[in-house]
Amino acid sequence: MALGQLYAQHGQPEKATPWFQKGLDAASNSFDKAMAQAALGYINEKIGKHSDALALFEKALNQGEATLKGDLLMAIARCHEGLKDGAKARATYDQIIKQLPNTEYAKNAQLYKDMLE
């Protein structure tokens, strides 16, 4: 995962991807799986593969790691926006506002939702 991060940070997503995949393959618990899936999702989002990124973010969210929920839901909403699906983006922002009230995630979700309208 660390090597993947270095490649990603230095603008080489094609070299980051196999390292994140190795991290996912080696993950022994739900947190590590979610982190690897999210990392792969961010790479796909960065290179414009919003559908692939969305699927990875949803898999990561389904791992049930509460500490990652806000970041993953925000990423899912961004992917819906990238796919030009404003209704699903809006619904995801509403989900964030409802499930994570009084957090920075909720505040940001409201701002992004307002920009959609």
Side-chain angles (χ1 to χ4, degrees):
M1 292 292 291
L3 284 171
Q5 270 308 100
L6 286 172
Y7 282 121
Q9 290 170 349
H10 289 91
Q12 298 179 327
E14 68 286 343
K15 290 184 178 180
T17 299
W19 291 105
F20 290 143
Q21 186 61 52
K22 286 180 185 188
L24 178 58
D25 294 342
S28 61
N29 60 59
S30 63
F31 182 81
D32 290 342
K33 285 180 187 176
M35 289 295 290
Q37 289 164 331
L40 286 165
Y42 289 123
I43 290 294
N44 279 280
E45 180 184 11
K46 186 173 186 165
I47 61 175
K49 294 183 176 181
H50 299 290
S51 291
D52 294 341
L54 179 61
L56 286 158
F57 291 136
E58 287 174 343
K59 285 180 183 178
L61 184 64
N62 288 334
Q63 295 294 329
E65 293 296 325
T67 58
L68 303 176
K69 186 175 186 175
D71 290 320
L72 292 170
L73 286 172
M74 291 296 288
I76 288 168
R78 283 193 313 272
C79 287
H80 286 305
E81 285 193 57
L83 292 167
K84 307 292 189 235
D85 192 338
K88 286 186 180 176
R90 188 173 291 106
T92 304
Y93 289 133
D94 284 337
Q95 180 182 359
I96 295 165
I97 293 164
K98 182 178 179 182
Q99 293 181 4
L100 303 169
N102 304 313
T103 65
E104 286 299 312
Y105 296 111
K107 290 176 191 173
N108 289 331
Q110 187 63 56
L111 289 172
Y112 290 120
K113 180 184 166 192
D114 290 345
M115 286 192 276
L116 288 174
E117 298 176 332

